[in-house]
Amino acid sequence: MECGKGFYGSADGKHKKANGGTGCVECDNGKYNDEIGKTSCKSCADLDTAPQLKKYSNVISHKITTCADCAVDKIANADRSGCTSCDVEATHDGTEYQIANPNQCTKCAAGKFNNNRDVVATCEDCAPGEVSTSQGSAECTQCNEGYYAASTTTCTKCPAGQFTDSKGQSTCQACSPGTTAGGLGNTECTPCLKGTVYKSADVACEQCPGGEYSDTDAAIACQQCAANHAGNLPIAATGCVECQDGEATNADQSACEQCPPGKKKKNPGDMACVACANGHVSVNPGSSECTLCLKGTYSNAGRTQCVNCAKGTVTATDGQDTCTPCTLPYTATAEGLDTCTKCALGQVASDTSTCTDCPEGQYNDNVDRTDAACTPCTGALVTTKPKQDRCRRCYPGERWMSNKECKACDAGYYNNDQTRTDRKCNECTFNYFAKQNSTKCTKCGMSEHAGKTAEKCEECPKGVTAQQIKTIMEGKHDDKQWQKCVADIGEGCEATTLRTRFGLYNLTFLFKNDNITGMKCAEDNDDSRTASFTCVKVNDTKAVFVPSYSCINSSNTERFHKLAGKVDTITVDDAMRQLRDLAVNNTYNALGDIRETADILRLIGGKMKREGEELLTDNSSLHFVQTISQLQRTNVSSLARKEQMAYTASLIKEIEAMTSNLHDADKLYQEEEFCAMRTTPGGQYTDGTVAISLGSDNFNSSSLSNEFQKTSFALKTVVGGKPEAVKANIEIYRRNTFHPDFTVSYVPDPGKSDQNLQYEMDELKKVDDPTKRRTMASTIIGIKFTQKMTDSTKIDLLFNTMIDPGDPKNTTMERNGHRYHYKPMCHKYDSANHTWVVDGKTLYDTSKPDSSVICEVTHNTSFAILMAGAEIEPVHSNIQSTLTMVFLGLSIAGLSLTVGLLLPVPQLRATRSVKTHICFAIALLLASTLFFLQDFLVKPDNTGVLKLRSVGCAVYTGLQHYIWLVVFMWMLVEALGMYLSLVQVFGSHISKFIIKFGIVTYSFPLIFPLIGYFAFTTKHKVAEAVIVEHNYIHEFRCFMIPGSVAFYTLFFGPMVVALFLNVIVFVLVIKVIKTTATAKKEETDTEMMMKQMKAIVGIMILLGTGWILGVLMAGPKNDAQTILAYFFIVVNSTQGIFVFIFYVLLNDPARNHWLVIAGLAEDKSTKSVRSTSNFGKSSATTTNGENIYSNADEGKSNTDCFPAKKDTVGKI
C-alpha cells in the first residue's frame, strides 16, 4: 500500500509488513509531504519567502500538506521544528540587515512603537496624548487623568486651575467660574460648597462672612440674611437661621440672642424684642409671650413680676398694673385678693384690711355694719365661742348660766327646756336615773330601782316573792321603788295615768290579779257605765293593766250628735264634710260615734231622697269614704257587746245604702282603711269581672286596672253558666271594726303575708286545739247586687290574702298526736248572730305559697278569708298507717314469693286456675307495692319526692286507681273460674282463657282514671288568677279523694259490683262444698271439716270478700267505723300473706317440688299418681293432693276436695 500525505516509504513509496517490514514513516519535524506514495519529505524552509522565517512543522497535521506559520511575534528556528520569539520592539529592516542574517531584531526608538510582526515592519510615532518613554515599545501609552502629553515621550501634570478628566489628553482645561483646582495633576475642578464663595480658580473657596450665606454650590458671591435671621459661623453659613420665639438677631446678624426679662418676641410679627404690655410680665429670658397678671395681682415697673395686691386693695380683673383700695364695709383681709368682701357673719370690719371675730356672748348677723361693734346675747341665749352670727339656746341636758356659758346638768338631773334662765335642771323622780348632761331621765332596767336624783340604779332583791320584796324594801326606800321591783317580776302593775277614748284614768299600784272597778265613764250619763282595770301578768317580767269598758260615748260623741241635729238645715256636701272632719280629727272613737255616724248617714240619705238628689257629689263621695276609713282605724270593742253589735250592724246598713249613691260609677273611692264602688255593666269587662288592685300597705295605690297587674280583689258573676256583667255595690273593709266576732284573731301586720304565716304557725303551737283558732286573713268584702239574682247566679270572689295560704310543708303541724293543716276557708258574716261562718267553696293552689284564693258563693253579704286549722289525720290514723305498712310489707313479700315460686316451674303453672292465681297475685303485688311506696314518696307537708297535686302525683294517682281496678277484675276472673269449675262444671272450658280475660282485665279499667282526672279537674279563672280545682286527687296524698263523686263512681262503684258478683259465686261455691261428699272413707268428720274450712278461707282470699268491710265503712262517720277500719286493714293488708300460705305452703305439689329442689324431701315421682290439682303435674306429687278448685278438663278429681265432672263438649 502507498504511504499517505505526511508519510514516506520504501523505494517504491509503499510500505511492507511481511518479513518484519517497517511500513510508512512520518515526516520529521521541519518537513512535510503533500503527496502520496513518496519516498522522502520536503523541507518547510522551501516554503518561506526571503527574508521571512515563518514556516515550521512538528505535528502530523502540519506535515500532511504544508508547514504551519509562526505567530506574528515569532520566527521559525533553525530546524523548522518550532518558532522562536523576537523582542517586541525589534523589526527586520531589510535596509539595515542582510537576508543572510534574518534572525536579528532591532528595538524601536523612544516615542515610537511597532506592533506588526512582519519582518519588513517599521516603527511608528505615538499618537497625540500618547507616549513611549523607552525603546522597543510595541504600543504607546495614554497619559492618565490629571496629565497631558507635552511630547511623545513624557506625560506632564496639569497646573493649578486646570484639569484633565480623561486619559490621552495632549492639553489641560481651565476650571469654570465657581470651581477651583488647587495644586498640580487635577482630574477635576471642585465647585465651592454651600456656605463658601469663589475667589479664583487656582485658590480655595472662602467661608461666607457673618450675616451672609450661600445656599448653592459654585456660588461666586454670598447673599445677605433676611430680617429676623442670622448667619451664624460656621454651621449656619449655608443659610440664615430664623430666630426662635424669645430670640432676636445681634447687630451684624451673625447670631440670635434671647430677649431679656420684661420683654418678649413672638414669630411671626415681632422683628425684635418688645416690652410687655401693662399687666403682663416675662419673668425669664427668652420669653415668647408675656404672662397675664391674674386678679389679685399687678405688674411691676420692669414688667418682670406679678405682685400680690396688698391687704385692703384688690384687682378685680386680670391684666392690671395697679391695685384698687376697698371701702367699708368691704375688706381685703389678705394679700392677693381679687374682690373686696364683707366680713363673715359673726365678724365686724375694723378697717378695710381686718375682720375681727365677735367674742363669746356676742354675735353679728349684719354684714353691712361699719361701726366695728358686735351685739350682746340676751335672755336664755348664748354664744359659747367666738365668731357667731346668732345666739343659740343651751343644748338639751345643759342649763343657762350667762350669755356666754352653758353648764351640763349634774347626774340625777336633766333639762329639756332650753328657755330657762334660772340656772337649774330638773330632778329625776323615783326609779329613773340620769348621767351628767342628760336630756331625760331613763327608767331603771328590769329588776332595778332608784331614788330621786339618782345617777344609777340599784338591783332589786332576787329570789324572793313580791311580799318579801315589799317587806325588805319598805321603810328603806320609797314605795314606788319596791312597787317597781314587784312589777318587774310580773307580780304587779306600777301606778300610771291612762288616757283613753273614754277619759283620763289615774291608776294606783296593783298586785297581780287585783283590780280597780267602778271608775266612771266620763261621757256617759248612765252610772252603770264604768271602766275597770285589772293587773294581769303577761310573763315573768311584765304585768299590764287590762281595761274593761262598758262605756259608750267618747269625748267627741256629743259633736256627732249635734251634727245629726242640724243635717236638715245644711247642704248634703256640708253635712258630709263636717262628718268627715269629726271622724278624722277625733283620735279616740267609741261606740257612740259609730251610732251617731249611722244616724247621720241615714239622715243624709233621707234628705237626698226628699230633695230628689240621686247621687252624692264627687267630693261628698270622697268625704263619705274618708269618714268610714277613719272609724275603721279605732278599736271600738266594749263590754257593751249588745250595743256594739247593734250599732255596727246599723252602720253597715247605712254604708251599703250610701255606696249606691256614689257620684261616679265604676270608680273606686278609696282610703287606707275603706274603699267603695258601685259598678255598672257598661263599666266592667266583657266576662263580667270587676278587678281591684290595692297596695300591699294601704289602699292609696289602688286602681281599677285593665292589666290585672296585682289584683287584691276581683268579682266575677256567672249566670246560667255564662259570665255576665251586673250592677253591684262593693265595699272593702281593711279591718273587722264593723264585723265583730270575738272568736276571730287578727294578724299583727296586714302588709307582711309571709311573716304573718310564720306568726300564725307559732300561735297555733300555743293552743291545745288548732281547729279552734281562726284568723282574719283578708280584707272584708261587702257585696250587694242592685239587680235581681236568680237561682243560677254564681259569684266567684278572688282574694289576695294577708296570710299566704302556704305550701303544705309550712302549713302542716302535729299537735297532741294529731296532724293539722292550717288553711284558708271562705266565710260569710252572719249579721244576725254576729259571727263568721264557713260559706261557699274555697279554691287555692297549695303548690304556690302566695296563691290567691277564690270563693264560690251564690248570695249577697260580706265575705272574707279566715285561716283555720283543720285536722288531717286523727290519732288512730297513725296506728292504722303503721299496721298497714307492716302487714302490707309482709303481703308484698308473700306475693313476691308466690309469683317467684310458681311462675318459673312449668308443671306448677300448667292449669288454668293456677295461671289465674298467678295473674291475680301479680296484680295484687303491683297494687300493694304502689300503695306501700306512697308513704315514702308522698308527704303531707309536701317534702316528698312526689309533690302534692303535681303531674307526677296525678300519674301516680291514676296508676294506683287503675291497678286496683285490675285487681278487682282478676277477682272477677277468679270467681268466673270457680263458677265454671265447681258450679256449672259441664261446658266450662274456655279456650285461651287467660289471654282473653287478661286483655279485658288490663284494658277495661284504663278508662276510669282518665275519666277521673279529666272529668273531675276544673280550672277556675278570675282576673289574672287561674286555680285548678282537684276533685279527683287527694290534697295530702297521691290517691283519690275518699267520699268524692269521682271516688264513688269510678272506684267504689266498680268495687261494689265486683264484690257483689264475687259474693254470689262465694255462696254458690260454699253450697257445693257443703253438698259434695268427696272425702275418703278413712277421713273423719273433723278432717273433712278442716279441709272445707281451708277451702272456704282460700276462696275468700281469691274473691276478695274482705273488701266488703270497705263498703260498710262508706257511711256516715261513727265510732263503729274506726273498729271496722282496723278489721279492714288486717283482712285486706294480709291478703298477700294468705295467698302465699294457701298457694304455696299448703299446696302439696308446690311445696313438695321446692322441698325436693332444696334437698329436704325425697323425690317420689316413681310412686306418685297424676295430680289433679290446679297446679298441674309436679315431680313431687303426693297421693293426698289438695286444691281449692280445678277444671274438669285439667285432670281427674277423685283426690280433690272439689270434684268436677269431665266435660268434653262445652268448648268456647
Side-chain angles (χ1 to χ4, degrees), residues 958-979:
L959 192 59
Q960 285 201 86
H961 184 187
Y962 165 72
I963 202 65
W964 278 113
L965 292 180
V966 170
V967 170
F968 295 143
M969 290 291 292
W970 277 114
M971 289 180 185
L972 283 174
V973 175
E974 289 277 15
L976 178 62
M978 289 185 188
Y979 177 80

Side-chain angles (χ1 to χ4, degrees), residues 303-366:
R303 306 292 190 264
T304 61
Q305 186 177 6
C306 291
V307 182
N308 286 333
C309 290
K311 292 182 180 180
T313 64
V314 298
T315 52
T317 59
D318 298 335
Q320 300 300 312
D321 61 347
T322 58
C323 296
T324 303
C326 299
T327 57
L328 292 176
Y330 291 93
T331 64
T333 58
E335 294 181 350
L337 297 181
D338 60 0
T339 305
C340 295
T341 59
K342 296 177 181 179
C343 291
L345 293 172
Q347 294 180 322
V348 290
S350 301
D351 54 45
T352 59
S353 64
T354 306
C355 288
T356 303
D357 293 344
C358 291
E360 294 91 340
Q362 298 181 31
Y363 74 98
N364 182 27
D365 60 355
N366 182 8

Side-chain angles (χ1 to χ4, degrees), residues 843-859:
L843 303 171
Y844 69 100
D845 192 343
T846 57
S847 65
K848 297 179 181 178
D850 57 350
S851 170
S852 302
V853 179
I854 293 178
C855 294
E856 282 192 355
V857 296
T858 58
H859 51 85

Side-chain angles (χ1 to χ4, degrees), residues 456-590:
K456 62 180 180 179
C457 299
E458 303 176 43
E459 287 189 349
C460 296
K462 295 183 179 180
V464 294
T465 64
Q467 288 298 330
Q468 289 172 331
I469 290 175
K470 179 180 179 182
T471 301
I472 293 170
M473 298 182 63
E474 198 170 27
K476 298 180 182 179
H477 304 279
D478 189 87
D479 287 348
K480 293 184 178 63
Q481 291 175 258
W482 68 259
Q483 289 171 2
K484 181 184 183 303
C485 290
V486 171
D488 286 347
I489 60 173
E491 296 296 320
C493 298
E494 291 185 85
T496 187
T497 298
L498 291 181
R499 180 178 295 279
T500 74
R501 59 190 177 278
F502 302 116
L504 192 67
Y505 296 95
N506 295 314
L507 306 178
T508 60
F509 172 81
L510 292 180
F511 280 103
K512 179 185 67 176
N513 298 330
D514 288 349
N515 59 65
I516 303 173
T517 61
M519 302 188 78
K520 181 173 173 40
C521 296
E523 303 299 330
D524 288 314
N525 296 325
D526 187 350
D527 291 339
S528 64
R529 302 289 180 192
T530 61
S532 300
F533 299 89
T534 303
C535 181
V536 177
K537 183 175 182 176
V538 177
N539 51 45
D540 291 339
T541 61
K542 184 178 180 181
V544 296
F545 285 107
V546 176
S548 298
Y549 304 107
S550 62
C551 305
I552 298 295
N553 297 330
S554 71
S555 58
N556 207 36
T557 304
E558 181 61 23
R559 297 188 184 94
F560 281 93
H561 184 70
K562 288 180 179 179
L563 177 59
K566 64 177 184 178
V567 167
D568 286 340
T569 63
I570 58 179
T571 65
V572 170
D573 279 357
D574 283 343
M576 197 64 80
R577 177 181 53 78
Q578 292 182 37
L579 176 61
R580 187 277 312 268
D581 292 343
L582 284 174
V584 171
N585 295 329
N586 186 28
T587 305
Y588 303 103
N589 287 311

